[in-house]
Amino acid sequence: MNQNKQLADLLFPHIEKTPDYYEAKYPQRQLPEGAKVTRFAPSPTGYLHTGALYAAMIPERLAHQSGGVFFLRIEDTDKKRELEGGVMEIINSLKSFDVVFDEGMTGENSENGIYGPYKQSERKEIYQAIAKVLVEKGLAYPCFCSEEDLNEIRAKQEESKQNPGYYGQYAKHRNASFDEVKAELEAGKGFVLRLKSPGKPENRIVIDDLIKGIVEMPENDQDIVLLKSDGIPTYHFAHAVDDHLMRTTHVIRGDEWLSSAPIHVQLFEMLGWEKPRFAHVSPVLKMDGTSKRKLSKRKDPEAAVSYYHEVGYPAESVREYLLNLINSNYEEWRMANPTAPNTEFAVDLSKMGTSGALFDLVKLTDISKDRVALMSADEVYDMTLQWAQQYDAELAEQMKSNEAYTRAILGIERGVEKPRKDIAKWSDVRGYLGYFYDSWFEEYTKEGYEFPGNLPNDDVIAVLDAYKNTYNKADDKDTWFERAKTAAEKLGFARDAKTYKKDKESYKGHIGDFMSVIRVAISGRKNTPDLYELLDIMGEERLKARFDKAIKSI
RNA sequence: GGCCCAUUGGUCAAGCGGUUAAGACACCGCCCUUUCACGGCGGCUACAGGGGUUCGAAUCCCCUAUGGGUCACCA
């Protein structure tokens, strides 16, 4: 016993503070009953991944909908993988999707909150203080094995078909005496600190996971590394220390951690700390040929969260979609509450799928169309412009130099009971209204016009000619249409589709075909918003010019 | 290989021992309509396979198959 104390001092001579000191420094949080304290704890190893956004939204919602605290902790214990500027990248990306923190890192080297530091590389002293006590209690010990030693052990184990690892009889430094340790140290050898695991694999432990349910696993018997040779903790140890001292109540993390949960449970128990609740989230998958795989940064553009900004999906739409993957009943809630902010939806872990969900851009698009359809013309204008200024300067230019015109176009069939759903992302806007701009119209027609099939050119010209003389800007919608129908009839078109269907032989087509000719001539496309409003906004002069241009092209 | 987890239509998924096995997206039809849309209606397709338990199984148990995760001084 005494020897353990001696050993602890030998190993950590500079550590003065005790766990009690930290317990006092980081008091229990005073929060209302049921409030959850959650965190997002990424490594700053690159840009934000869609899966990470997904994984961050869950604890964020859980904390905020329960009146709790959501904080950002940076796990930078692996210096080899760290990337410059990684912290800001994470913060800004999440913020752009309305995932905001109450506490934790706020910049590369700034933070707020009293449970810090929130960057693991700055918590070395804390980990070591806890580790020191573990040594004192005989629950941890230094190991001087080199990489080669470890490889040798593993080779032996593989040969005899035993579980690989550092445990039991293979843990050769486990019971080294104080003098032996001292000798190694004096010989200048570095060490890692290992847990003296009391676990036996024949014992089973039970984890009550909030998503996966009851999971039974063998107890951990590996003398896992607590502190690496540079004195920095491994994930396992850092997780236990941090989440305890930061008073995390719910650990929500990727399910790749589930299999090491026995280690974590054991650590909490050995340290005499109350365990947080665990929730292991399945990854977002992607269809690759006929099989599913994790969304991959290298292969899938949509894996980088920046993708959505680039193509211009509103952040709100992406949130909606992700929420939909998190809890599939989100959709029902949305139908019942079409205009409520999505933060009013209560995320429920028990309703999460236990297997990974497939990421589906088509569904995202659909959801986004619904969202955009509910926006006002001004909102669409502003958000598109903002997007275009960064990603489509030409469009931004057009919008600004034709502002009133553009706003009017965006207002067509918007704000009505059944709004159009043409726009899913801001990059769609260019195609949606590009032909309105005279300087772009050329582009739309340079391949020629696509008039409705099987209509002879003469008829097309006749339609255009007739219509040119019929159009009267002063007409209201009904008069306008009546006039068009009459003109159509004179040229041998049926007034309505029904009449045409009854007797196809007698007509060249029906009013729809007639209108199609006009639509194509004026827009170069077969699909546009309401013609009446469109013509009204374009104005008579433009209309006539475009008709002439079309006739000339035939 | 050991240990975990998963498997309901093309996709997301409800379902927790008795259901005609929801709904949404996609696709296909039809209808509405004064054009384009929106919308409405309908269709299409599913419990991975095999054994049990039970009066009764998508639901519970076992085996098999397939997919995923994990077995580092990485997180």
Side-chain angles (χ1 to χ4, degrees):
Chain A
M1 205 54 176
N2 211 1
Q3 243 191 10
N4 287 333
K5 177 92 178 79
Q6 264 181 293
L7 180 60
D9 285 333
L10 180 66
L11 261 17
F12 303 105
H14 53 288
I15 295 293
E16 305 279 327
K17 302 204 169 77
T18 64
D20 285 344
Y21 167 83
Y22 292 110
E23 291 294 339
K25 179 171 178 189
Y26 305 117
Q28 292 293 335
R29 293 170 184 269
Q30 300 301 314
L31 292 169
E33 183 78 21
K36 297 182 172 77
V37 179
T38 64
R39 92 274 127 113
F40 181 56
S43 304
T45 54
Y47 62 82
L48 195 72
H49 191 271
T50 301
L53 170 61
Y54 172 76
M57 275 177 73
I58 300 164
E60 185 275 334
R61 286 289 77 222
L62 257 22
H64 290 151
Q65 72 196 19
S66 68
V69 175
F70 178 53
F71 66 87
L72 174 64
R73 180 171 72 226
I74 295 296
E75 312 222 323
D76 59 342
T77 56
D78 184 7
K79 289 297 169 191
K80 277 166 269 168
R81 304 200 315 170
E82 197 169 333
L83 235 70
E84 194 79 17
V87 178
M88 255 352 265
E89 170 70 25
I90 288 166
I91 293 172
N92 289 335
S93 294
L94 288 175
K95 193 174 168 193
S96 69
F97 290 98
D98 288 328
V99 176
V100 291
F101 299 94
D102 307 303
E103 196 178 282
M105 299 305 292
T106 57
E108 293 301 328
N109 292 301
S110 59
E111 60 177 43
N112 90 332
I114 61 161
Y115 291 86
Y118 293 90
K119 201 194 248 184
Q120 290 184 331
S121 56
E122 283 162 24
R123 301 173 60 79
K124 204 167 163 179
E125 210 189 346
I126 304 175
Y127 302 120
Q128 295 192 352
I130 305 295
K132 187 171 184 178
V133 173
L134 246 17
V135 175
E136 279 172 19
K137 290 183 177 166
L139 299 175
Y141 64 93
C143 164
F144 296 91
C145 283
S146 64
E147 210 179 314
E148 293 75 50
D149 294 335
L150 261 16
N151 286 341
E152 210 173 289
I153 294 173
R154 179 165 307 115
K156 221 181 282 176
Q157 288 163 332
E158 269 164 21
E159 202 180 315
S160 58
K161 295 221 166 107
Q162 302 208 51
N163 267 343
Y166 201 87
Y167 61 95
Q169 52 169 311
Y170 299 105
K172 65 176 181 180
H173 294 280
R174 192 174 226 224
N175 297 309
S177 69
F178 176 79
D179 292 333
E180 283 168 326
V181 171
K182 199 172 172 193
E184 297 272 21
L185 247 24
E186 277 165 4
K189 286 179 93 170
F191 68 92
V192 300
L193 193 75
R194 284 183 185 273
L195 180 73
K196 195 180 278 184
S197 172
K200 294 187 179 61
E202 55 271 31
N203 294 341
R204 312 280 293 173
I205 65 141
V206 170
I207 289 163
D208 185 3
D209 188 274
L210 263 8
I211 294 172
K212 307 265 182 191
I214 304 272
V215 181
E216 222 183 87
M217 278 183 279
E219 225 168 56
N220 172 56
D221 69 332
Q222 298 272 341
D223 284 359
I224 54 134
V225 172
L226 262 19
L227 257 24
K228 300 184 252 184
S229 51
D230 55 6
I232 288 178
T234 56
Y235 172 87
H236 308 299
F237 190 52
H239 149 58
V241 171
D242 292 346
D243 282 318
H244 174 250
L245 257 19
M246 293 177 180
R247 311 299 176 181
T248 308
T249 62
H250 294 251
V251 171
I252 291 138
R253 65 199 345 178
D255 72 354
E256 68 269 24
W257 292 110
L258 185 59
S259 49
S260 43
I263 295 172
H264 309 317
V265 167
Q266 181 180 51
L267 241 20
F268 276 95
E269 280 170 0
M270 290 174 75
L271 289 160
W273 294 340
E274 192 188 338
K275 292 186 283 278
R277 298 300 309 267
F278 290 100
H280 290 96
V281 178
S282 303
V284 179
L285 306 175
K286 158 104 180 173
M287 208 63 196
D288 191 10
T290 53
S291 63
K292 298 175 181 178
R293 47 147 243 260
K294 249 176 153 168
L295 209 52
S296 138
K297 286 191 191 184
R298 296 191 64 171
K299 297 180 188 166
D300 312 312
E302 72 273 30
V305 137
S306 52
Y307 167 81
Y308 307 105
H309 292 131
E310 278 160 30
V311 302
Y313 279 105
E316 185 194 355
S317 303
V318 177
R319 278 185 67 93
E320 298 258 330
Y321 176 63
L322 259 16
L323 245 9
N324 187 256
L325 287 187
I326 290 168
N327 278 174
S328 70
N329 58 319
Y330 177 80
E331 219 160 2
E332 289 165 37
W333 174 85
R334 181 41 99 196
M335 269 189 264
N337 306 277
T339 57
N342 60 44
T343 44
E344 276 174 25
F345 172 76
V347 167
D348 182 349
L349 282 181
S350 69
K351 289 195 175 116
M352 276 198 78
T354 45
S355 55
L358 259 200
F359 191 88
D360 185 357
L361 267 180
V362 177
K363 180 92 177 183
L364 201 210
T365 298
D366 177 73
I367 286 178
S368 196
K369 280 182 177 173
D370 279 340
R371 289 290 97 198
V372 176
L374 289 173
M375 295 178 186
S376 69
D378 287 338
E379 278 176 296
V380 175
Y381 180 88
D382 293 344
M383 292 173 90
T384 303
L385 183 59
Q386 200 182 2
W387 171 83
Q389 279 168 337
Q390 191 169 358
Y391 298 105
D392 187 347
E394 253 185 15
L395 176 62
E397 217 27 68
Q398 286 283 22
M399 290 177 73
K400 278 189 289 187
S401 50
N402 302 282
E403 183 171 339
Y405 185 49
T406 306
R407 284 188 195 267
I409 296 162
L410 289 171
I412 299 176
E413 292 176 274
R414 193 169 279 285
V416 296
E417 199 185 338
K418 291 172 182 172
R420 297 183 64 89
K421 298 183 179 178
D422 300 287
I423 301 168
K425 48 191 191 294
W426 309 132
S427 52
D428 293 339
V429 171
R430 190 187 178 109
Y432 175 68
L433 52 61
Y435 58 86
F436 277 89
Y437 303 125
D438 294 324
S439 53
W440 280 3
F441 184 60
E442 198 61 41
E443 267 308 295
Y444 282 76
T445 53
K446 71 168 185 226
E447 308 273 314
Y449 292 80
E450 262 190 86
F451 290 109
N454 65 38
L455 208 54
N457 285 345
D458 288 351
D459 285 329
V460 172
I461 293 172
V463 167
L464 295 175
D465 257 336
Y467 192 77
K468 200 163 70 168
N469 301 320
T470 324
Y471 183 76
N472 181 347
K473 194 164 168 52
D475 289 348
D476 65 20
K477 197 166 178 179
D478 288 337
T479 318
W480 167 78
F481 205 75
E482 199 46 47
R483 219 191 271 275
K485 283 203 278 195
T486 308
E489 212 166 19
K490 270 189 202 153
L491 290 176
F493 289 86
R495 284 184 77 85
D496 52 62
K498 265 186 199 154
T499 318
Y500 174 70
K501 269 188 197 165
K502 267 183 227 154
D503 184 12
K504 291 189 182 177
E505 300 307 310
S506 314
Y507 299 100
K508 290 177 178 166
H510 59 84
I511 183 69
D513 300 315
F514 181 87
M515 285 302 195
S516 249
V517 172
I518 294 160
R519 169 170 280 122
V520 170
I522 208 154
S523 69
R525 324 167 84 225
K526 282 189 265 196
N527 174 316
T528 71
D530 184 84
L531 251 190
Y532 174 76
E533 289 191 54
L534 188 151
L535 293 173
D536 191 47
I537 290 169
M538 280 194 165
E540 201 162 348
E541 221 170 282
R542 190 178 269 123
L543 179 154
K544 290 194 168 149
R546 290 194 180 190
F547 272 28
D548 289 339
K549 177 172 151 53
I551 290 170
K552 222 178 282 173
S553 82
I554 294 172

